[in-house]
Amino acid sequence: MKDIISSTECEHLISSIELMAHHLDGVAKSLDKENIRQMLMNIMEADSIFVMGAGRSGLVGKAFAMRLMHLGLRSYVVGESTTPAVRKGDLVVAISGSGETRSISDLGRITKEIGATLVTVTSDKDSTLGHLSDTIMEIKGRTKNDIGGYLERHMRGEYSHLTPLGTSFEISSLVFLDAVVAELISITGASEDDLKSRHAKLE
């Protein structure tokens, strides 16, 4: 193992980064600006913002909720022990590559029953979550359920060492949501000092 590591040129690592950079360029060019404006309006008009996702998408959601808090918005992560109940007038942001993750789509239905607004970040606007949502942000990427594309290429031995499962969606969503925060900073006129003042002091 030591000999393998000492001799590697890290070509798979570099290729994966280059693949993601290329993918992100395509994502940026394909975004629906009208849907972005609608998402921004949903965020600014919400009483509270709740973010949810499963697995790695959930981690992306936590990062987004943290940035919203830094902006001074009332944000929560669904499932945390201190998260309050969702109410009418609130916004729920769901992150799911397939749009079919059972736990998240079930919570999407509950969101609509409550009367809250639902925004979904997904690779499939025609998914269960897509059909439930008030606003859909379609972020193209290979998801773990992409049987016809990603898994087929793996079975054929193509891209066998590159970004696994839903990585392209998750990274793209992370970058997109951080870019949403950048737009919100511009809209609200928030400064770097404003964000730093709300950063956790006990870490």
Side-chain angles (χ1 to χ4, degrees):
M1 182 63 68
K2 184 177 180 181
D3 289 341
I4 294 173
I5 293 174
S6 64
S7 63
T8 185
E9 295 296 326
C10 303
E11 64 269 22
H12 301 304
L13 183 154
I14 293 167
S15 293
S16 289
I17 293 173
E18 290 174 343
L19 180 65
M20 278 307 311
H22 177 74
H23 178 73
L24 283 168
D25 184 57
V27 167
K29 291 174 180 174
S30 67
L31 289 172
D32 186 319
K33 291 182 181 177
E34 187 53 43
N35 284 5
I36 294 173
R37 294 185 189 99
Q38 187 60 51
M39 180 179 180
L40 293 168
M41 190 66 69
N42 293 150
I43 290 171
M44 295 307 299
E45 291 181 344
D47 295 331
S48 296
I49 303 159
F50 295 79
V51 186
M52 63 182 183
R56 284 166 53 102
S57 292
L59 298 177
V60 171
K62 286 184 177 183
F64 183 51
M66 178 184 287
R67 285 292 183 235
L68 293 175
M69 177 273 292
H70 289 158
L71 272 171
L73 301 175
R74 189 181 294 112
S75 61
Y76 303 97
V77 175
V78 173
E80 296 290 330
S81 58
T82 57
T83 298
V86 175
R87 302 182 186 281
K88 187 174 182 178
D90 292 337
L91 168 66
V92 176
V93 178
I95 304 166
S96 172
S98 67
E100 299 292 346
T101 305
R102 179 68 63 85
S103 59
I104 304 304
S105 59
D106 286 349
L107 290 172
R109 290 189 185 91
I110 294 171
T111 297
K112 297 311 299 172
E113 290 171 5
I114 291 170
T117 300
L118 178 64
V119 169
T120 295
V121 180
T122 183
S123 284
D124 187 1
K125 65 182 179 181
D126 294 319
S127 61
T128 298
L129 272 170
H131 289 302
L132 286 169
S133 299
D134 298 283
T135 304
I136 306 169
M137 285 312 313
E138 192 171 25
I139 306 293
K140 288 299 184 183
R142 294 194 305 270
T143 72
K144 59 180 177 293
N145 295 330
D146 184 9
I147 302 299
Y150 181 76
L151 293 183
E152 179 180 330
R153 286 195 295 275
H154 263 255
M155 288 181 70
R156 294 179 184 278
E158 302 170 30
Y159 302 127
S160 59
H161 298 288
L162 300 183
T163 51
L165 297 178
T167 293
S168 60
F169 170 76
E170 294 148 3
I171 297 299
S172 299
S173 295
L174 178 65
V175 172
F176 167 71
L177 291 169
D178 258 5
V180 167
V181 171
E183 193 69 25
L184 289 169
I185 289 172
S186 173
I187 290 168
T188 61
S191 67
E192 186 77 10
D193 286 341
D194 292 332
L195 272 67
K196 285 181 178 178
S197 71
R198 301 184 187 97
H199 198 281
K201 300 298 191 292
L202 298 178
E203 290 184 319

